[in-house]
């Protein structure tokens, strides 16, 4: 019964995380449509700071705290749980207050360093977001530590729903009243803070408070040691979840600065950064599925390794790598080929289409990196992804500095993204080979997979040329949308049918997903009849 409850709780959290990530990517599209590229620029210049707060309050602090609570309870040390929670709460409260005060005092300096002093007020508002960290983290961690997952899931969903709806509502009101981009950015931050507040209230109302205490006992030294270790583990454990935000943070501090050395008006630079940021929701959507699959596969892999079922472990890791290439490769090729129509469909015009084409090429190496990092963590080598991330951040920073100057546009930042993720991918693939003497197990399956993806690309490209030749007049937005959706569906169907008819996945792998296996049999019967 208890095991069933754990599985249900884990499933609930996974669904909440998936829905939250989808919301996080999608809402930026209507936001950009209302706020324009300048409004999108303002929001994206401060979003990475707030996004990191959200990630730490969801995947960092609560995860580490829940593990520590579970360990205490498993050892029969229930009396130490309250002490653990109080240490954590007060440690996070002190940290949050320091960060909040830091943002309030140094907002102007941060804005000047970014290259846009007008961001001053919006950056100040970010500081207040840190104040929600202690309660969100402690109540979530306490609930997860006793397998009481519902409060975390519901608070997560409510927080994101209020934030997204609030941002869109406030943006609509402010833009319709003629307010400028910075006022829209401030409104979006107020809506984000409201979301955090509602999430905190719901969490407190639903949480079981029996084990939660805030009275500190013990020495100051043990308090410091606990919180230093706690912070280190928390950041360590959610680095993969932070990677896209860390890359965006590098862009915040380097893109505008890099473009300001050119003889271009600041408003044009800010707009160019806003156009470049159109790629952020695309890369998020392109990698959501693989991160969700990783959450399901890693426990299976770790369990197989712990039981020394090495054949099963190899099978799990190989399936995950094929899925990463299938999903990441399919998304990369599709977005690259259809970017001109997708750009108009999603963001109203074709500004920055070539920059975005280059930007989305990072989806494939990013997907392979995420899959490889998850596999390596399953093998217990949790330090390797950290090295890969450090190498990626250094490469991204250096790439932005060099390439933006070289290309004299945001094309340089897009190229830096691709190069950085490629470096990270190479590191995890090399590490996989060192761990298990090979990268790919079913080599023929990978060859077939590459052929399927390239064939899909040729089919979509051929159809695209045909459609554009027949309808040679300039497209309206609706026509671009119809073309993008039609060709995306054709490409997805082509890949789906080709995967079912080929040896990309083995019979045993199909058998592990009965519903998908039934679809495969129907497709095969249909093609055999014809």
């Amino acid at each position: 019964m208890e095991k069933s409850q754990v599985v249900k709780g884990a499933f609930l959290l996974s669904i909440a995380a998936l829905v939250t990530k989808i919301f996080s990517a999608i809402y930026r599209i209507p936001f950009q449509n209302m706020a324009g590229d300048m409004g999108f620029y303002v929001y994206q210049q401060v979003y990475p700071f707030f996004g990191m707060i959200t990630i730490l309050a969801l995947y960092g602090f609560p995860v580490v705290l829940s593990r520590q609570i579970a360990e205490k309870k498993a050892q029969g040390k229930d009396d130490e749980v309250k002490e653990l929670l109080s240490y954590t709460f007060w440690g996070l409260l002190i940290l949050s207050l320091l960060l909040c005060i830091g943002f309030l005092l140094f907002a102007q300096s941060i804005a000047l360093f970014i290259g846009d002093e007008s961001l001053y007020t919006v950056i100040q508002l970010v500081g207040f977001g840190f104040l929600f960290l202690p309660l969100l983290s402690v109540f979530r961690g306490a609930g997860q530590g006793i397998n009481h997952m519902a409060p975390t899931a519901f608070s997560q969903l409510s927080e994101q729903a209020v934030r997204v709806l609030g941002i869109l509502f406030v943006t609509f009101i402010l833009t319709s009243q003629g307010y400028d981009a910075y006022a829209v950015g401030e409104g979006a931050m107020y809506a984000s803070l409201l979301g955090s507040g509602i999430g905190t209230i719901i969490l407190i109302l639903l949480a079981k408070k029996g084990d939660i205490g805030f009275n500190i006992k013990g020495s100051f030294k043990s308090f410091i040691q606990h919180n230093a270790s706690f912070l280190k583990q928390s950041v360590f454990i959610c680095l993969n979840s932070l990677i896209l935000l860390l890359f965006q943070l590098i862009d915040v501090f380097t893109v505008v600065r890099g473009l300001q050395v050119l003889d271009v008006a600041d408003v044009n630079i800010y707009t160019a950064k806003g156009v470049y940021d159109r790629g952020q929701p695309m890369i998020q959507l392109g990698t959501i599925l693989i991160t969700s699959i990783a959450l399901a596969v890693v426990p299976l892999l770790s369990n197989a390794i712990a039981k020394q079922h090495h054949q099963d472990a190899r099978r799990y890791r190989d399936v995950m790598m094929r899925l990463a290439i299938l999903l990441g490769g399919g998304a990369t090729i599709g977005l690259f080929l259809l970017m001109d129509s997708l750009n108009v469909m999603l963001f109203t015009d074709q500004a920055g289409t070539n920059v975005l084409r280059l930007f989305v090429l990072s989806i494939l190496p990013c997907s392979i990196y995420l899959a490889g990092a998850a596999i390596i963590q399953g093998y217990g080598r949790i330090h390797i992804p950290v090295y890969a991330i450090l190498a990626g951040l250094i490469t991204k920073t250096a790439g932005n500095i060099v390439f933006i100057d070289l290309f004299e546009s945001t094309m340089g930042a897009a190229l830096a993204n691709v190069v950085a993720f490629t470096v990270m991918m190479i590191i995890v693939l090399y590490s996989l080979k060192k761990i298990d003497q090979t990268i790919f197990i079913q080599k023929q399956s990978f060859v077939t997979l590459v052929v399927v993806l390239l064939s899909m690309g040729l089919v979509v490209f051929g159809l695209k040329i045909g459609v554009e030749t027949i309808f040679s007049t300039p497209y309206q937005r609706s026509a671009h949308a119809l073309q993008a959706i039609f060709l995306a569906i054709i490409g997805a169907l082509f890949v789906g049918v080709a995967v079912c008819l080929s040896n990309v996945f083995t019979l045993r792998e199909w058998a592990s997903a009965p519903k998908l296996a039934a679809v495969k049999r129907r497709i095969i019967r249909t093609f055999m009849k014809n």
Side-chain angles (χ1 to χ4, degrees):
M1 187 72 174
E2 187 178 340
K3 185 177 180 181
S4 173
Q5 187 180 355
V6 172
V7 172
K8 286 179 182 177
F11 178 74
L12 189 63
L13 280 185
S14 299
I15 294 297
L18 179 60
V19 171
T20 300
K21 287 175 183 176
I22 292 172
F23 277 2
S24 178
I26 289 177
Y27 83 91
R28 287 189 240 184
I29 296 168
F31 175 79
Q32 184 276 343
N33 284 204
M34 290 187 285
D37 291 318
M38 186 64 185
F40 198 45
Y41 149 79
V42 172
Y43 181 70
Q44 281 295 133
Q45 289 298 88
V46 295
Y47 169 76
F49 298 109
F50 199 89
M52 292 174 77
I53 300 171
T54 305
I55 294 292
L56 287 169
L58 274 174
Y59 308 116
F61 299 143
V63 172
V64 174
L65 182 58
S66 64
R67 286 183 181 177
Q68 292 177 344
I69 290 171
E71 287 173 8
K72 295 283 186 189
K73 287 190 170 291
Q75 296 166 3
K77 298 178 179 177
D78 291 7
D79 55 321
E80 294 183 15
V81 170
K82 282 189 178 182
E83 182 180 328
L84 173 66
L85 288 167
S86 64
Y87 269 28
T88 305
F89 173 79
W90 288 107
L92 288 178
L93 182 61
I94 292 168
L95 175 67
S96 300
L97 287 171
L98 289 174
L99 289 170
C100 178
I101 293 167
F103 269 79
L104 291 174
L105 292 179
F106 299 106
Q108 190 166 17
S109 300
I110 296 170
L112 285 170
F113 190 75
I114 288 172
D116 183 2
E117 192 175 357
S118 299
L119 292 170
Y120 165 67
T121 307
V122 192
I123 292 172
Q124 277 193 322
L125 289 173
V126 174
F128 292 108
F130 289 101
L131 299 179
F132 296 101
L133 263 179
L135 287 174
L136 284 173
S137 301
V138 168
F139 277 97
R140 281 172 177 163
Q144 291 167 223
I146 57 172
N147 300 318
H148 188 46
M149 310 295 191
T152 295
F154 290 133
S155 75
Q156 183 178 350
L157 288 172
S158 59
E159 178 182 349
Q160 188 70 341
V162 171
R163 177 177 296 140
V164 168
L165 293 174
I167 286 173
L168 296 181
F169 177 75
V170 168
T171 301
F172 174 76
I173 296 297
L174 293 176
T175 52
S176 63
Q177 294 294 318
Y179 284 89
D180 68 12
Y182 296 95
V184 171
E186 289 178 35
M189 286 311 305
Y190 278 117
S192 297
L193 292 171
L194 177 63
S196 296
I198 295 296
T200 304
I201 291 168
I202 288 176
L203 190 63
I204 292 171
L205 291 175
L206 294 178
K208 293 180 179 178
K209 305 173 187 67
D211 284 334
I212 299 179
F214 299 121
N215 296 322
I216 285 192
K217 296 177 182 179
S219 67
F220 179 73
K221 182 181 178 182
S222 61
F223 173 78
I224 294 296
Q225 287 175 340
H226 164 77
N227 281 290
S229 173
F230 179 78
L231 288 173
K232 179 183 174 182
Q233 290 179 58
S234 298
V235 172
F236 201 77
I237 205 166
C238 66
L239 266 178
N240 277 331
S241 299
L242 287 169
I243 187 61
L244 292 179
L245 286 170
L246 290 171
F247 273 34
Q248 289 179 53
L249 200 60
I250 291 171
D251 285 332
V252 165
F253 287 108
T254 56
V255 172
V256 170
R257 275 292 186 190
L259 294 175
Q260 281 177 334
V261 301
L262 309 175
D263 187 20
V264 180
D266 278 351
V267 67
N268 293 333
I269 290 172
Y270 303 155
T271 303
K273 173 62 165 57
V275 171
Y276 164 81
D277 282 328
R278 295 179 183 186
Q280 301 298 346
M282 294 186 188
I283 195 171
Q284 269 187 277
L285 287 170
T287 55
I288 277 174
L289 276 178
I290 196 62
T291 54
S292 301
I293 291 167
L295 289 173
V297 173
V298 170
L300 295 173
L301 178 64
S302 301
N303 189 47
I305 292 168
K307 293 180 178 178
Q308 296 191 339
H309 296 168
H310 299 299
Q311 204 62 33
D312 287 339
R314 291 183 121 205
R315 183 162 56 86
Y316 293 139
R317 57 163 276 196
D318 208 53
V319 168
M320 188 159 174
M321 290 303 297
R322 272 175 276 153
L323 285 170
I325 294 172
L326 175 65
L327 297 171
T332 300
I333 293 170
L335 288 170
F336 182 86
L337 292 175
L338 303 178
M339 186 55 70
D340 50 353
S341 289
L342 282 170
N343 204 9
V344 179
M345 170 186 160
L346 299 176
F347 301 108
T348 73
D349 59 37
Q350 290 194 354
T353 293
N354 288 330
V355 171
L356 297 176
R357 274 202 172 105
L358 181 56
F359 196 122
V360 297
L361 290 180
S362 60
I363 291 175
L364 178 58
C366 178
S367 298
I368 295 174
Y369 160 75
L370 289 170
I375 291 166
I376 288 169
Q377 287 174 338
Y379 278 98
R381 314 290 180 86
I382 56 176
H383 60 287
I384 294 174
V386 177
Y387 298 149
I389 288 170
L390 289 174
L393 293 175
I394 293 168
T395 305
K396 169 65 176 169
T397 305
N400 272 17
I401 293 168
V402 174
F403 296 145
I404 290 173
D405 182 59
L406 182 66
F407 288 94
E408 298 186 347
S409 76
T410 52
M411 188 73 78
L415 178 59
N417 246 41
V418 178
V419 174
F421 276 121
T422 302
V423 167
M424 294 165 66
M425 176 188 72
I426 290 169
I427 290 172
V428 295
L429 290 180
Y430 174 77
S431 301
L432 272 177
K433 186 170 175 61
K434 293 282 286 183
I435 289 170
D436 202 18
Q437 308 307 312
T438 185
I439 299 173
F440 306 121
I441 314 298
Q442 302 277 350
K443 292 183 174 61
Q444 186 58 46
S445 296
F446 283 96
V447 172
T448 305
L449 178 54
V450 171
V451 171
V452 166
L453 290 173
L454 292 177
S455 301
M456 179 271 285
L458 289 172
V459 168
V460 171
F461 182 70
L463 287 172
K464 183 174 185 288
I465 295 296
V467 169
E468 290 174 350
T469 302
I470 296 169
F471 303 100
S472 56
T473 56
Y475 283 10
Q476 298 296 320
R477 189 180 186 186
S478 57
H480 277 290
L482 284 172
Q483 176 176 298
I485 292 169
F486 170 72
L487 293 177
I489 291 172
I490 293 295
L493 288 174
F494 180 92
V495 170
V497 171
V499 166
C500 288
L501 297 177
S502 66
N503 66 340
V504 170
F505 297 105
T506 65
L507 291 175
R508 182 177 180 182
E509 288 160 1
W510 281 108
S512 64
K515 290 184 179 179
L516 291 177
V519 173
K520 170 185 166 76
R521 287 193 294 271
R522 281 198 293 272
I523 291 173
I524 291 173
R525 280 199 297 269
T526 301
F527 275 84
M528 288 182 67
K529 285 178 184 177
N530 296 332

